[in-house]
Amino acid sequence: MQIKVKPAENLKQKPQDESKLGFGRLFTDHMLTVQYKAGIGWHNAEIRPYENFSLSPAALVFHYSQTIFEGLKAYRTPDGIKLFRPWDNFKRMNVSARRLCIPEIDEKFALDALVQLLRIEQDWVPHSEGTSLYIRPTIIATDPYLGVKAGEEYIFYIILSPVGAYYASGLEPVDIYVEDEYVRSVVGGMGFAKTGGNYAASLIAGELAHKMGYSQVLWLDGKERKYVEEVGSMNIFFKIRGELFTAPLEGTILAGITRDSVIRLAKEVFGVNVREERLAIADIFEEHEKGGLEEVFGTGTAAVISPVGGMKWEDKVIRINGGKMGELTRQLYDKLTGIQYGREEDIFGWTMTI
Ligand code: COI
């Protein structure tokens, strides 16, 4: 499919102070849009000025949440602008699409289109340490119809946002609240899909946690509320007695690309044994009592690798590693970001230069 390019007439001013970027508030001059109609398929691909959509108030996405998204980043490196495992994002987008009855996209076309968009917007990739251009591919159902059914019309779009750290605290460890009332997903549900509903379901617990001074919620499994699953915006890892534990991919958590990268780095670069196993929250707190809980960190595209300094579960509050970033967490962070920013050799072939 050919992509029509309609350049913006007035370009916005790029952010002057990159230390104030924050996350996801600024958008670049252009976006990609592709339309879908049953019987025609994906068509009408355009790179055009970033602007509001005009949609019917009855559009299916507003009522029944038929929407999926992805998150990846473009990094400014000494050898040009690089993407990190972008093919895995489009592959995962199709996994989400299948779960939500959304027509799949052509992964190769999507990646080529993204590269074309990035070449136009490359001046928007920020320069400072720790910054990047966050990429948000999204699909929404647009049919104006109030019956519950899968849409016949969709828009696939990609928008770009120059970003700094996801958490205002940067690399300072975050405190998390272990949620034992609400659940995020159950086996057979859509916890593995990257779809707005999963995030909407998490908001109430997040609000309550914030009021108590915690920045994130750690979800337990939806059946027994016993095993650790994920933190809404991140997968989570626990280093216990030299081994790294993280929840297995059983359909309830997101198959994070950063999660997968960290597992490979831990095993293959740092020689750490990684166990993708169910881990009971009670056992984690018990290990802390016994001195075995060494480090906790979250992983995600937006959050990168984010150390966890404290956790609250029921009436128990623990400090992890004295509230400081652990050594393995630091090594993994340095290695991963080293590959992403082109400071380290890309031993796994994870990056592509646009
Ligand atoms: C990401 O890490 O890219 C995410 O999608 C998390 C989030 C900001 C929802």
Side-chain angles (χ1 to χ4, degrees):
M1 190 183 347
Q2 277 292 106
I3 303 175
K4 201 158 79 204
V5 180
K6 193 166 144 215
E9 278 173 17
N10 300 307
L11 299 185
K12 301 174 201 166
Q13 213 195 10
K14 311 272 181 310
Q16 299 297 297
D17 183 355
E18 292 188 349
S19 69
K20 298 217 166 67
L21 284 175
F23 183 85
R25 293 190 187 281
L26 295 172
F27 301 96
T28 68
D29 296 304
H30 298 89
M31 62 182 178
L32 170 87
T33 58
V34 191
Q35 287 172 306
Y36 179 93
K37 204 171 174 54
I40 300 177
W42 290 108
H43 64 287
N44 196 15
E46 278 188 295
I47 291 177
R48 57 183 174 113
Y50 181 98
E51 63 190 356
N52 293 345
F53 287 135
S54 168
L55 292 179
S56 163
L60 280 173
V61 63
F62 296 142
H63 303 272
Y64 309 121
S65 304
Q66 212 193 355
T67 171
I68 53 174
F69 70 93
E70 270 303 318
L72 65 160
K73 286 173 171 170
Y75 307 85
R76 191 172 288 285
T77 83
D79 314 318
I81 289 161
K82 282 191 200 290
L83 291 168
F84 184 76
R85 302 181 66 175
W87 40 83
D88 289 323
N89 288 92
F90 291 119
K91 195 163 155 195
R92 187 173 65 185
M93 190 161 209
N94 276 338
V95 171
S96 303
R98 288 193 285 276
R99 179 64 181 82
L100 278 105
C101 288
I102 288 174
E104 291 180 40
I105 47 156
D106 178 329
E107 293 165 28
K108 187 179 173 313
F109 165 79
L111 182 51
D112 289 348
L114 170 61
V115 169
Q116 204 172 320
L117 177 64
L118 286 170
R119 289 198 176 126
I120 293 172
E121 299 291 66
Q122 53 185 291
D123 290 348
W124 280 95
V125 182
H127 296 73
S128 326
E129 173 82 30
T131 62
S132 56
L133 188 65
Y134 187 77
I135 301 162
R136 177 52 66 89
T138 307
I139 303 179
I140 55 173
T142 55
D143 321 33
Y145 179 60
L146 293 184
V148 179
K149 70 165 189 84
E152 295 185 12
E153 292 168 25
Y154 297 84
I155 301 177
F156 166 47
Y157 61 93
I158 303 183
I159 53 174
L160 308 172
S161 172
V163 298
Y166 184 65
Y167 296 119
S169 62
L171 264 188
E172 278 301 301
V174 293
D175 285 345
I176 57 179
Y177 178 79
V178 182
E179 176 56 54
D180 54 6
E181 184 187 352
Y182 298 106
V183 297
R184 178 184 169 275
S185 78
V186 290
V187 176
M190 57 183 193
F192 64 90
K194 214 157 168 58
T195 180
N198 285 333
Y199 297 82
S202 75
L203 296 177
I204 186 166
E207 294 279 294
L208 295 172
H210 279 152
K211 284 199 186 117
M212 288 184 278
Y214 293 87
S215 60
Q216 290 282 304
V217 168
L218 171 58
W219 297 101
L220 300 178
D221 74 279
K223 195 169 170 205
E224 297 178 73
R225 292 185 179 72
K226 188 170 166 191
Y227 302 102
V228 293
E229 295 236 307
E230 68 169 36
V231 175
S233 56
M234 310 189 285
N235 294 113
I236 185 126
F237 287 77
F238 300 87
K239 179 164 172 260
I240 300 174
R241 300 183 190 278
E243 292 185 307
L244 211 47
F245 290 80
T246 195
L249 302 178
E250 290 175 337
T252 53
I253 66 168
L254 191 78
I257 292 162
T258 313
R259 172 189 180 279
D260 183 68
S261 308
V262 159
I263 291 174
R264 290 200 62 191
L265 289 172
K267 282 187 189 164
E268 295 173 42
V269 176
F270 297 106
V272 175
N273 193 36
V274 182
R275 293 169 59 173
E276 293 178 65
E277 290 172 17
R278 295 184 129 204
L279 186 61
I281 187 70
D283 293 344
I284 296 172
F285 273 65
E286 197 186 316
E287 276 297 348
H288 179 264
E289 287 267 290
K290 296 195 285 193
L293 178 64
E294 293 157 354
E295 301 180 33
V296 181
F297 60 87
T299 63
T301 297
V304 196
I305 292 180
S306 183
V308 173
M311 289 202 294
K312 176 175 163 66
W313 172 52
E314 296 178 337
D315 56 355
K316 301 181 240 343
V317 176
I318 60 173
R319 286 270 97 207
I320 300 138
N321 194 36
K324 296 204 189 64
M325 186 174 197
E327 197 189 323
L328 180 64
T329 311
R330 161 68 65 185
Q331 287 172 324
L332 288 164
Y333 177 86
D334 287 346
K335 194 76 186 173
L336 178 72
T337 54
I339 294 172
Q340 291 169 335
Y341 287 91
R343 293 187 296 263
E344 298 255 0
E345 190 191 343
D346 177 12
I347 42 178
F348 297 108
W350 280 339
T351 62
M352 74 175 269
T353 308
I354 66 148

